[in-house]
Amino acid sequence: MTNVAGLDAAYSQSRPDWSRYLRWLAFVVVFGAVVVAYADGGPVWLDAVPISLLYVGFGGVVYAQAATNRATDTVRFVPALLLTLLVGALFARQLWGGGFTDGYRRAELVVSFFLFVAYPFVHPDGVDYFSAVSGYTLGLVALLGAHFYHSATVGARFPFFMGFILVMNVLFVPRFVSRRTALTVVSLTGALVSALGLVAYVVGEYAVFSFSVSLQGGVVDLPFLHVTGLLESIFTNPNGTGILLFVGLFAAVVELRDHLGDGAGAGAVAVVGVGLLNGLGLLLTHSRASWAAAAIAVCVYLSYVVFGRAVLPYAVGGVLLLVVVGLGLIATSLVGVDPSGRFTLWTAAVRAFVGLRSPFGAGLVSSAELLAPYVPEPYVGTSAHNSYLSIALRTGVVGIAGYLVLVVGSLVDAVLVRRRGDPAVIALAVAFAVHQLFEAYSLVQYSLGAVLAALTVGYLVTSVCEPPRLRGI
């Protein structure tokens, strides 16, 4: 069984505490930037380019610490530091230097693609690390390769930024920020976002600095709760808020168990408060997909806590079976849940996918545009509302194969093949795998949901593959 705490401790050997604290601070800055960029009222300049530069900064912190840990390590990490500077220069040029060179765009994209993929492996133990995660790296290459193929064809810069962010979330950040630290950051962020939104029920819509805190029209009508207005808080959509809060609620559950195991009673009380804020906010979003995801993650994790690791395959299989049965009941109208046209949209997406003539898909266009010939009114102009189908339409067989290796393959590896990895991350990965059936975000974005899902995949890959210790870090 993988001991994630042991992995983090191994990475932390021979390092002063300030080293870890600086990495944690760098992670908080990166995650905070993602939250602010996703919020209503965030700075207009805070988009994928500055966020990519912050990820470069995180990498620079890690490699600089490694190079200064011992005098003999400095030379060994020179390639890593040089590549950090080079990648940073690439993004700085996009931000301030006018973008790609005329006539050399494709060549620059090809070079950038290989630099991005190589970045997590440029340290002295890179060959060993690549050997540990090679299967997932190839999946990442296929997914990004399909996006870069279209970028070179139509001129979109989207994959250039998203590619590096995805590589960092999957193959870099989880190695140097412990799962426990990441979940704590998410749960505290969720509690703050929820608290801000709850105030709006009392005082009405208001602003905090430049951020608009609001409610969306609608009614939360549950047997024990009847409230007018869906909680958006600082975001523009209750479903987006729901993604953060479902992860925040689950993170609080995991942290509560950790605190109780450590015997920290006072800390446990604080965690309960954070969990209640996330949970109440989640209910008020009326985001049914996030409700289901939270229930899935908590049930799978608690099954592990109560019955041990041996029950995980049955818990995961049982949850997936319930999802299939639930979808069948909704499709046949045997339960009173409005699918909001998702079955019509999914059917149209499958028809559009079958009609694709390229193994790389239709390109970097809206899935709504691709579905339009296959859907009736009032669904014309509506996206597929399914991450897998959206990726399949845009990037074809090549892209969806890589996507499934990351999202589904890592789960199969953890639960059925190697049967190891962090159980908390396994539970969260199952929840995200199901959640993506109902939402249009994918791992190849910098939205809050995309970053959380990609980090989850990264923590699962890290814990399953048990990469060797990075010397000198």
Side-chain angles (χ1 to χ4, degrees):
M1 182 176 106
T2 301
N3 185 343
V4 175
L7 286 175
D8 187 57
Y11 294 149
S12 303
Q13 290 175 6
S14 303
R15 285 177 291 184
D17 284 342
W18 70 263
S19 177
R20 281 178 293 153
Y21 295 153
L22 186 58
R23 291 199 319 278
W24 296 346
L25 177 60
F27 173 76
V28 169
V29 170
V30 172
F31 186 73
V34 171
V35 172
V36 170
Y38 190 63
D40 182 17
V44 295
W45 53 264
L46 186 58
D47 56 19
V49 189
I51 290 176
S52 297
L53 280 168
L54 288 175
Y55 274 94
V56 174
F58 178 89
V61 167
V62 170
Y63 283 140
Q65 287 179 348
T68 58
N69 190 43
R70 294 197 303 265
T72 56
D73 287 335
T74 303
V75 174
R76 295 166 61 241
F77 277 88
V78 165
L81 294 173
L82 290 178
L83 185 54
T84 300
L85 293 174
L86 178 57
V87 172
L90 289 175
F91 289 116
R93 184 181 174 201
Q94 294 293 322
L95 189 60
W96 296 295
F100 297 103
T101 305
D102 292 340
Y104 295 94
R105 175 190 175 81
R106 293 190 179 185
E108 291 181 3
L109 279 171
V110 170
V111 172
S112 300
F113 174 82
F114 284 105
L115 290 179
F116 293 171
V117 175
Y119 190 77
F121 309 108
V122 74
H123 56 73
D125 287 337
V127 173
D128 291 336
Y129 180 42
F130 176 78
S131 175
V133 298
S134 57
Y136 301 107
T137 304
L138 293 177
L140 197 62
V141 166
L143 176 60
L144 291 185
H147 282 83
F148 270 75
Y149 169 81
H150 292 298
S151 180
T153 302
V154 302
R157 295 193 303 165
F158 168 80
F160 180 76
F161 312 117
M162 298 306 105
F164 186 71
I165 290 174
L166 178 59
V167 168
M168 293 295 283
N169 283 333
V170 173
L171 296 178
F172 197 89
V173 174
R175 297 197 68 200
F176 306 109
V177 176
S178 70
R179 179 266 291 167
R180 187 169 184 175
T181 298
L183 287 184
T184 299
V185 170
V186 175
S187 65
L188 291 175
T189 303
L192 175 60
V193 167
S194 178
L196 291 173
L198 291 174
V199 172
Y201 285 98
V202 179
V203 303
E205 297 185 0
Y206 65 101
V208 178
F209 301 109
S210 63
F211 302 105
S212 174
V213 182
S214 59
L215 305 174
Q216 187 180 90
V219 177
V220 181
D221 191 6
L222 300 172
F224 52 89
L225 185 67
H226 183 90
V227 177
T228 300
L230 308 184
L231 187 142
E232 286 182 330
S233 189
I234 61 173
F235 304 126
T236 58
N237 189 310
N239 289 332
T241 309
I243 295 175
L244 172 64
L245 298 184
F246 107 68
V247 180
L249 173 61
F250 174 72
V253 171
V254 175
E255 194 167 359
L256 177 61
R257 193 249 181 175
D258 290 342
H259 274 283
L260 294 176
D262 296 340
V269 173
V271 171
V272 169
V274 169
L276 289 175
L277 277 173
N278 279 279
L280 179 57
L282 177 60
L283 279 176
L284 294 173
T285 64
H286 205 269
S287 176
R288 294 170 298 176
S290 293
W291 289 356
I296 288 169
V298 171
C299 287
V300 171
Y301 181 67
L302 290 183
S303 70
Y304 155 76
V305 171
V306 175
F307 300 106
R309 187 177 190 89
V311 81
L312 274 178
Y314 304 101
V316 173
V319 160
L320 296 180
L321 179 60
L322 286 175
V323 170
V324 172
V325 171
L327 287 174
L329 293 175
I330 294 171
T332 55
S333 301
L334 293 178
V335 295
V337 175
D338 180 10
S340 301
R342 278 177 170 77
F343 294 108
T344 299
L345 295 168
W346 295 349
T347 301
V350 171
R351 292 176 62 193
F353 177 73
V354 172
L356 294 177
R357 298 183 179 181
S358 168
F360 295 99
L364 306 178
V365 296
S366 168
S367 61
E369 179 181 337
L370 301 174
L371 265 59
Y374 302 96
V375 294
E377 292 289 353
Y379 301 115
V380 175
T382 305
S383 72
H385 281 290
N386 183 297
S387 302
Y388 306 101
L389 291 173
S390 295
I391 288 291
L393 289 170
R394 292 176 182 140
T395 61
V397 174
V398 174
I400 191 60
Y403 199 83
L404 291 176
V405 166
L406 294 173
V407 177
V408 179
S410 57
L411 270 174
V412 173
D413 197 5
V415 175
L416 296 178
V417 180
R418 296 191 231 196
R419 298 196 175 208
R420 67 187 187 200
D422 185 345
V425 180
I426 291 173
L428 189 57
V430 174
F432 264 117
V434 173
H435 193 270
Q436 289 183 75
L437 289 171
F438 306 99
E439 297 293 344
Y441 70 91
S442 72
L443 303 184
V444 196
Q445 292 174 356
Y446 72 101
S447 68
L448 185 54
V451 168
L452 288 171
L455 285 171
T456 299
V457 170
Y459 279 103
L460 185 57
V461 168
T462 299
S463 66
V464 169
C465 294
E466 297 190 33
R469 180 190 167 199
L470 182 57
R471 299 190 200 102
I473 295 293

